[in-house]
Amino acid sequence: MGKEFPPTIEVIEICLLAGKIMLQGGAETYRVEDTMTRIAASLGIPHSHSYVTPTGIIFSTDGTEPAKLIRISERSTDLYKVTLVNGVSRRISSGELDGKEALARLKEIESADYTFPVYQQIFAASIASGCFLIMFLGSWTDFIPAMITGGLGFVSFLYVHRVVQIKFFSEFIASLLIGLIAYFFVYSGVGTELDKIIIGSVMPLVPGLLITNAVRDLMAGHLVSGLSKGAEAFLTAFAIGAGIALVFTF
């Protein structure tokens, strides 16, 4: 007796949910498409097709069911969820999970919150700011000012983003505050090198993963996704630069 596969509509739901979690977590486009294709093949649909962009996923089984589209409105960086979905995909391929178990596990991953507490994120941003200052050949006397500046800048980013829900605006306000605090430290004599303090403090806001994924997608031939992610990274860089430039203007 051959292996019993789940209904096609259930396979589509599993693939779309897996792709949605990965895309929201910051996975590359090629990885999302590859995972969806592997899951579909393991569940009895060997000829599926998917088209993934940073804001949406189109998935077709090349059969009787129509293609389905889901929109991705919220994106962040959660590589742990990406790892968990990859684990589910491997367990489906090895036969350890059937369709219903896989869907239940993916829903559990989607609803779970694995992010670190806010105070730990702020503390990490502060430490990173100080370490980046040293990496850019800054003085050890500016280590504490850079920690305070980067930490307060990250706090403002989290707070403004929670209120306004516009990433560009929250990044602009955070960088503006970083510039003002760094200028205050140097003006009051606590800090010495304004440029090093600012550079170290804005690094937690720099979209490093987004830039890496944009280059990776472009190299893999996913031109739409690569250009979209590149444009998003450019807007973030522009917001940071505009906030700092506004401080120097006055």
Side-chain angles (χ1 to χ4, degrees):
M1 185 176 178
K3 183 178 179 181
E4 186 175 342
F5 295 112
T8 302
I9 190 67
E10 185 176 312
V11 176
I12 294 174
E13 186 179 0
I14 294 170
C15 292
L16 284 175
L17 183 56
K20 177 185 175 184
I21 297 171
M22 295 183 72
L23 206 56
Q24 288 179 332
E28 309 96 315
T29 301
Y30 83 94
R31 189 185 301 278
V32 177
E33 291 183 351
D34 181 66
T35 302
M36 295 171 70
T37 302
R38 287 177 184 273
I39 291 176
S42 301
L43 296 177
I45 303 177
H47 302 296
S48 63
H49 302 280
S50 59
Y51 180 73
V52 178
T53 70
T55 56
I57 300 175
I58 301 174
F59 185 76
S60 169
T61 58
D62 199 19
T64 56
E65 297 291 339
K68 291 196 68 175
L69 163 70
I70 60 171
R71 181 170 176 78
I72 308 297
S73 54
E74 285 290 332
R75 297 182 299 279
S76 62
T77 301
D78 194 338
L79 299 183
Y80 185 61
K81 280 192 176 182
V82 175
T83 303
L84 291 177
V85 174
N86 277 330
V88 171
S89 173
R90 293 190 189 94
R91 293 179 66 187
I92 293 174
S93 300
S94 62
E96 296 179 38
L97 290 179
D98 59 20
K100 292 188 181 303
E101 292 171 334
L103 185 59
R105 178 58 182 148
L106 288 173
K107 287 181 177 178
E108 182 183 331
I109 295 172
E110 183 189 27
S111 60
D113 184 8
Y114 298 109
T115 56
F116 290 103
V118 174
Y119 75 90
Q120 289 187 11
Q121 295 181 38
I122 296 170
F123 181 72
S126 299
I127 295 295
S129 299
C131 292
F132 273 117
L133 174 130
I134 299 302
M135 193 182 79
F136 290 126
L137 304 179
S139 170
W140 278 101
T141 57
D142 289 334
F143 186 81
I144 299 299
M147 281 185 59
I148 297 173
T149 305
L152 291 177
F154 195 74
V155 169
S156 69
F157 169 74
L158 294 177
Y159 178 76
V160 175
H161 187 63
R162 184 177 299 174
V163 174
V164 183
Q165 294 287 320
I166 301 176
K167 191 180 175 189
F168 177 85
F169 186 72
S170 56
E171 290 164 342
F172 173 77
I173 295 298
S175 61
L176 178 65
L177 184 64
I178 286 173
L180 290 173
I181 296 173
Y183 182 80
F184 170 77
F185 277 130
V186 175
Y187 181 76
S188 61
V190 178
T192 55
E193 297 177 283
L194 179 62
D195 56 336
K196 300 291 175 52
I197 296 175
I198 289 177
I199 292 172
S201 301
V202 301
M203 288 307 289
L205 303 176
V206 173
L209 179 65
L210 198 60
I211 295 172
T212 303
N213 284 350
V215 175
R216 181 66 182 84
D217 284 344
L218 287 173
M219 293 176 65
H222 297 279
L223 302 181
V224 174
S225 297
L227 292 175
S228 300
K229 291 177 181 177
E232 187 177 352
F234 172 78
L235 284 176
T236 297
F238 179 76
I240 295 172
I244 299 300
L246 190 60
V247 175
F248 280 101
T249 301
F250 295 100

